[in-house]
Amino acid sequence: MYLSDLISGGMDSAAATELLMNIMWTLVGAFLVYFMQAGFAMVETGFTRAKNASNIIMKNMMDFVLGSIFFFLIGFPLMFGSDLGGVFGISGFFNPTSLADADGMMNGLPVGVFMIFHTVFCATAATIVSGAMAERTKFSAYLIYSAAISIFIYPVSGHWIWGGGWLSQMGFHDFAGSTAVHMVGGVCALVGAKILGPRIGKYDKAGKAQAFPGHNIPIGVLGVFILWFCWFGFNCGSTTGAATNLGDIAMTTNLAAAASTLAALILTWVKYGKPDVSMTVNGSLAGLVAITAGCDVVTNYEALIIGALAGILVVLVIDFVDKKIKIDDPVGAIGVHGFCGAFGTIMTGVFGEGCNFGVQCLGVVSVIAFVAVMAIIIFKLIDATVGLRVSSQEEIDGLDIHEHGVPAYPNFNLHRDR
């Protein structure tokens, strides 16, 4: 339906223009969030070894494919269907467009616009786990997990926060998904990596962590540039309308990322004697994750504080996860998304106008508990049936050859430890 059709149908011209602007802006945001898949694919591929590059790219692709299908059929109705006790939706299964009103609208947007916007968010939560479980997970097992998070995990906690559930009723504020998207993916990554176990050779006989350098740092950093760019769609797009505060949200988003990057750079320079590339760009992502919950309710200076603290936190957490609790996370997804997602949500309660610190903390703890329990059940079931991990020989040779029969770099003679 075009602008002229809306007006001829009786809608006020100003209202019709506003509606079309809201549709266009929400779709631009959705398309940018979709392109985050390319950013995640580049980050995860660049910061892992060449012998697994094709496998990682395939997992990122299938996260979006499976997420799109299963979120449409089951996940979206669970998240936005008729509320049952504030826990999950119970209507619209296999026919989610039936959830629209008589005019085909949901939350002030045509139902298709609203659905595609939330579909790309669901796929983002699923793809976070790929990096933490990289280089030793069966492709078939990963496909099952990817479908499961889109059906059983993300939509339920998403209903609590964005679908009219019990947390939203209490005033919990997570504007664009520090908890709903990033922390959910980070907790799943923590559980999955723990159950899966470390890569062969990651820890020596004394338990000391060994570094496995990424094979293509420029590609990894390119992924971070892509993600930073697309994050403006992630956060600004969450207005789902052409609002006057878009510039304010863009500023807080950018300042938090910049402050976090600088803080991570300085800390690694002091801690390791040189400014570490991978830690610095993980700092960029940490700031983006942390500001996502409160980007609409904090000031520019508060965004700088949140970002700087997130940049310090992510370096300390990645070291802690790697060296103290000995969970092998090749790309730092647990620290970036899990811990910084929780941190940013709590800081929204500290700084955010009209936000309640206690409610923010309750929301974070509740979502962690639910996601952790569900992830344990799902990963344990997968491990007991199809198995989570490839064989030792397959891991040593690389998943590209054994899982896909297609090396990412066929014209190069790669050492099997690379």
Side-chain angles (χ1 to χ4, degrees), residues 138 140-142 144-145 195 376-389:
K138 281 185 180 179
S140 57
Y142 188 82
I144 297 171
Y145 153 75
I195 292 174
I376 289 170
I377 293 170
I378 289 168
F379 282 120
K380 287 288 188 180
L381 283 174
I382 294 172
D383 197 30
T385 51
V386 301
L388 269 177
R389 189 164 186 145

Side-chain angles (χ1 to χ4, degrees), residues 50-51 53-54 400-401 405-414:
K51 62 184 180 180
S54 292
D400 288 1
I401 295 298
V406 180
Y409 308 98
N411 297 322
F412 292 83
N413 184 18
L414 299 174

Side-chain angles (χ1 to χ4, degrees), residues 332-362:
I334 296 167
V336 169
H337 299 278
F339 280 82
C340 289
F343 170 75
T345 305
I346 293 170
M347 287 299 99
T348 301
V350 174
F351 294 117
E353 182 180 353
C355 298
N356 184 287
F357 178 75
V359 172
Q360 295 299 108
C361 291
L362 174 63

Side-chain angles (χ1 to χ4, degrees), residues 46-318:
F47 292 145
T48 52
R49 290 172 290 183
K51 62 184 180 180
N52 300 304
S54 292
N55 176 258
I56 290 171
I57 293 293
M58 279 288 286
K59 288 194 295 183
N60 279 271
M61 172 62 76
M62 295 311 298
D63 280 327
F64 189 79
V65 169
L66 295 173
S68 295
I69 294 170
F70 287 105
F71 188 68
F72 168 75
L73 295 172
I74 303 172
F76 186 86
L78 273 174
M79 192 164 172
F80 294 105
S82 301
D83 178 66
L84 178 65
V87 181
F88 50 78
I90 56 171
S91 60
F93 295 104
F94 302 99
N95 185 24
T97 57
S98 66
L99 298 174
D101 63 22
D103 295 322
M105 306 286 281
M106 282 191 74
N107 286 36
L109 291 168
V111 64
V113 176
F114 189 72
M115 286 174 61
I116 192 61
F117 186 78
H118 282 282
T119 296
V120 294
F121 274 64
C122 176
T124 300
T127 207
I128 288 167
V129 186
S130 171
M133 298 177 66
E135 303 199 299
R136 72 264 200 212
T137 306
K138 281 185 180 179
F139 186 64
S140 57
Y142 188 82
L143 295 181
I144 297 171
Y145 153 75
S146 184
I149 191 174
S150 303
I151 299 171
F152 302 113
I153 298 180
Y154 175 81
V156 175
S157 56
H159 180 80
W160 298 356
I161 298 167
W162 290 334
W166 67 277
L167 279 176
S168 66
Q169 294 169 19
M170 293 182 67
F172 181 76
H173 188 87
D174 184 11
F175 182 69
S178 286
T179 287
V181 178
H182 296 281
M183 195 186 77
V184 166
V187 172
C188 289
L190 174 65
V191 172
K194 175 63 177 177
I195 292 174
L196 187 62
R199 291 166 291 175
I200 295 171
K202 174 61 181 176
Y203 298 99
D204 62 19
K205 292 181 180 179
K208 184 178 179 181
Q210 306 299 304
F212 287 174
H215 82 280
N216 196 326
I217 299 302
I219 284 292
V221 176
L222 173 62
V224 174
F225 278 117
I226 291 172
L227 288 169
W228 193 325
F229 170 67
C230 292
W231 226 284
F232 293 116
F234 202 91
N235 287 1
C236 296
S238 291
T239 59
T240 61
T244 57
N245 65 339
L246 289 176
D248 297 329
I249 294 170
M251 280 299 300
T252 55
T253 299
N254 192 62
L255 286 172
S260 186
T261 305
L262 183 59
L265 181 146
I266 293 171
L267 180 56
T268 58
W269 207 332
V270 172
K271 189 176 176 67
Y272 307 129
K274 293 184 183 296
D276 185 89
V277 177
S278 62
M279 279 289 199
T280 298
V281 295
N282 262 335
S284 307
L285 299 180
L288 291 164
V289 168
I291 199 61
T292 294
C295 58
D296 64 322
V297 291
V298 300
T299 67
N300 290 335
Y301 282 101
E302 290 165 348
L304 285 169
I305 294 169
I306 292 171
L309 292 175
I312 295 169
L313 177 66
V314 75
V315 174
L316 300 178
V317 168
I318 288 175

